[in-house]
Amino acid sequence: MNNIPRRITLEEWDLRYEQLKKSGIYQPAYGGPLRRHVEDGDRRLLKLRYDNSAAALRLWNFLLTEEYRLHEARAAGRKIVGTMKDLGTVPVMAYCLENLVAFYPDGAWWIPCVMELGAGLLEIADSLGIDESFCPVRAMLGAFITKAHFPIPDMLVCSVGATCDDFSAIAQRLNGLGQPIFWWEIPHRRSPEPDETAVNLPGGFSAPKCQVEFVKSQLERIKVALEELAGDKLTEQKLSAGIRTANLVRRHLAGLRRLAFTAELCPVPALEMLIAEMLAIHFCSDRQETINVLKELLDEETSRVRAGKGVLDAGAARIFWVNPVADLQVMNLLEDCGGRICGTEYLFTHALDEIPEDLPPLEALAQMALADPMVGSSIDRAQRICTDIRRFGSEAVLISRIPGASHCALEGRVIGEIVQEKFDIPVLEIEVPPVTDSMRPTVRTRLEALIETVKAHRYKLKI
Amino acid sequence: MKTIIYTCPYVPAEWIAAHGLHPFRLSLDHTEPDSALARTEGLCPFVRCFIGEVMNNTRADGVIVTTVCDQMRRAFDILVRKCQLPAFLMNVPSTWQSFESQRLYIDELKRLGRFLTKLGGNSPSNNALAKVMLEYDSARKAILAAREYLSARRYAEAIASLYRDGPDKTPDSPTSTESSVDGIHLAIIGGPLMKQDFDLFDVIEQSGGRVVLDATETGERGLCAPFDRRRLHDEPLMELADAYFIGINDASRRPNSGLYKWLQQKIASRTVQGIIFRRYVWCDLWHAEVQRLKDWSNLPVLDIDTGGDNDNERQRTANRIRAFLEMLQ
């Protein structure tokens, strides 16, 4: 069997799957060929390119079977918590209670892409007055109406305040349709004033102590609500254990990111790395399996790096990617054009940084929630991006606009200007809708131009 | 006297005035957007004009921005990088039912007070604050009482004048009565209106309607609750905070059930027959309420979106209002 790392199509995966199966690879209960997900309607899979490792197969299968896990959890009598917007904080708390499982209904924003608009979720959102001027996360509204993509949660928790207006407005629309929501406030993170006690947050930001205390008070409210739902006490011991487990996930991801972004040859493609990062947010409804999946992927990556193997050509342009893409295929497209990902800021870096283990757990989680890049200013966010550009040696920044997202109108300008003030590297801003097929030539041309610019810059530096 | 500019109704003018500074709520002008942002896709026209106005303002000594909407929150990032004017970002919580959120709002007022003091203001005594609050409260009461005797435009202008010129300098004295045109009772609902948008009131009257409820941010909906006169003397800051934070109902609140409760009461008491919903393109907070309002109100709703000012759009809006009122007649 040929084990040279490369990116392959779904057709090639059919053959590859049979080979791997014959070779006796371990497959978890949710394992199987990737093609079966196409039969469920995930037609975009036919157009993607995948890493050809067994670890990637497990990653994809884990991602694409989350709905079944949620239904299984409900059948087993566990309560389902729908956590919205905070991207990483509440699930750490929920998974500390054995009979709770948490997921992000926000994740429905990828359904229009994965099902190539076949699910009709955006049309439902349209009919509810949430049209295409909103972020594609409006698909979530359709998913709640159809009840076809996830079980309706027993409890919905949504952070508001310093969040994007799209999400807040869509969540309110859902609430107006009769879905109860537990709202909690995340204030805009600001710098401490001279007379205030400053707290250094995970990830390098700082905030006044009073803001940490405020967020802690909000998390205490959530804790009480989770306890009521679970019928169990969320003790400090349980929270501390939950934080330690979440940190295990984050350490695996840190290892994956470091190798993927700094190895001479790119060891894991952008798409699989994006999915791996997403797992940190809510563990894809199975915390322990998330650790197993990431561990296997990290082992594969490590062995490739040690063997000097990669999935892309040497010399690929090193791109820092800002914001997640609504169309997963664009991550492939970047690589097809001669780029590789060397640095990411997909809106949830706070879910990647380790949570302090030497603090009272709710205070540690409050610090983490306040470290959310979207909670602070675009200037803060740009500073963090600059730190990572330096760390990963990125040669260009690509800001991927999310159609209709309230934060995208102004933040790209601020981030782009600050990056260019600090580094002599190109910055490109593109908009990525859920399905880019009709604008693929335009996106491709722009990506090619960016990569040509990077390579021309390298040439200039040489002479 | 130093001037502090702002637009958000959750910024209490009384608090600025009590510091010995002049609160000046901006009436934005369609024609003064920041040219660098003119072609920015996805940017709310109101925010664009706000940035333009602040950048070009030569009379102000400070600007207050709030976190009530995400684009305004991010406009602050642009201002601190591009503008010399001292700027303050006030955290106004979206949630309002918990003690912690109310406490946060009060803490933010105190922090705003420190900012105002740095700009040359004086930290007010309780008595000084209560005196200013009383003046504003009396002016608001007078304006509200005059509503039935003023044209909708004059009523809106009286509110704007209060927050631009102060309680003692309103040029359109609400005590001077005028014959108000009667017509089909309409409510206008939405975010803030800009200067030129006041023409809408004339268009509505010329088309046979009368705005009996100005539920825009710059209208009656943006007014704080009346002050409790006894508490005003005992705990003026607490009373100020409650009247503004709890008293103003907005689409941005979570949950925003208070807005609908307020609308229900006003729509019923003023026998509203139709609703004009005015919103800016890319304003998600209000846009998301259109369909809900249609389902909820059982009244005809005309949804007017605006991307900025131009003659074609003005004409189109006027035609749509005429058609809407013809339908209601």
Side-chain angles (χ1 to χ4, degrees), chain A residues 233-250:
Chain A
K233 277 279 167 204
L234 189 45
T235 61
E236 287 222 349
Q237 287 80 359
K238 283 180 187 167
L239 277 169
S240 296
I243 287 173
R244 284 195 295 276
T245 311
N247 279 343
L248 199 52
V249 171
R250 292 166 190 227

Side-chain angles (χ1 to χ4, degrees), chain A residues 255-273:
Chain A
L256 271 165
R257 279 162 53 88
R258 187 179 56 79
L259 285 179
F261 303 158
T262 60
E264 197 175 336
L265 285 174
C266 175
V268 178
L271 192 48
E272 278 74 15
M273 282 303 297

Side-chain angles (χ1 to χ4, degrees), chain B residues 95-315:
Chain B
T95 54
W96 52 280
Q97 292 166 314
S98 74
F99 167 77
E100 293 86 358
S101 293
Q102 292 163 23
R103 185 76 237 171
L104 177 61
Y105 181 76
I106 293 167
D107 288 345
E108 284 294 285
L109 285 182
K110 289 178 181 167
R111 199 167 66 84
L112 172 60
R114 294 197 289 274
F115 170 77
L116 296 173
T117 308
K118 270 187 215 153
L119 291 184
N122 301 309
S123 186
S125 65
N126 277 356
N127 283 345
L129 176 59
K131 182 173 174 289
V132 174
M133 286 169 66
L134 207 54
E135 287 165 7
Y136 272 86
D137 199 46
S138 301
R140 268 190 299 266
K141 273 192 181 138
I143 293 171
L144 286 168
R147 183 186 62 80
E148 286 186 47
Y149 312 108
L150 294 177
S151 70
R153 182 180 185 127
R154 296 252 303 156
Y155 181 56
E157 284 171 347
I159 293 171
S161 170
L162 170 65
Y163 292 107
R164 184 184 59 234
D165 307 317
D168 53 343
K169 290 180 189 163
T170 50
D172 301 311
S173 170
T175 52
S176 61
T177 59
E178 59 182 62
S179 56
S180 59
V181 181
D182 204 8
I184 292 169
H185 285 194
L186 296 180
I188 181 165
I189 299 177
L193 296 182
M194 290 201 234
K195 240 179 230 171
Q196 292 85 346
D197 294 334
F198 282 33
D199 292 347
L200 278 175
F201 296 112
D202 298 334
V203 172
I204 290 166
E205 288 195 358
Q206 286 155 12
S207 308
R210 170 168 166 75
V211 174
V212 293
L213 174 61
D214 180 356
T216 63
E217 187 175 299
T218 39
E220 196 177 327
R221 188 181 57 74
L223 297 178
C224 69
F227 296 136
D228 175 329
R229 297 287 171 113
R230 199 166 68 183
R231 193 171 177 228
L232 181 149
H233 289 289
D234 297 342
E235 299 177 291
L237 182 58
M238 299 296 277
E239 179 57 19
L240 184 74
D242 283 355
Y244 272 82
F245 187 62
I246 308 295
I248 300 175
N249 294 291
D250 191 64
S252 63
R253 300 338 275 287
R254 294 294 173 265
N256 63 16
S257 46
L259 171 67
Y260 284 85
K261 207 171 154 188
W262 185 86
L263 284 173
Q264 186 173 36
Q265 191 263 321
K266 298 287 180 196
I267 285 172
S269 66
R270 298 191 190 168
T271 56
V272 170
Q273 297 163 274
I275 295 170
I276 292 181
F277 193 94
R278 171 77 169 176
R279 65 182 169 88
Y280 295 101
V281 173
W282 305 116
C283 171
D284 298 326
L285 294 173
W286 279 101
H287 187 179
E289 298 301 323
V290 181
Q291 191 60 43
R292 184 176 168 204
L293 189 81
K294 284 180 183 175
D295 298 342
W296 169 85
S297 70
N298 282 325
L299 287 172
V301 177
L302 176 65
D303 175 22
I304 299 179
D305 62 344
T306 175
D309 187 50
N310 65 55
D311 286 342
N312 286 344
E313 189 183 286
R314 258 205 302 269
Q315 194 54 49

Side-chain angles (χ1 to χ4, degrees), chain A residues 4 153 374 430:
Chain A
I4 296 171
M374 301 306 289
I430 60 168

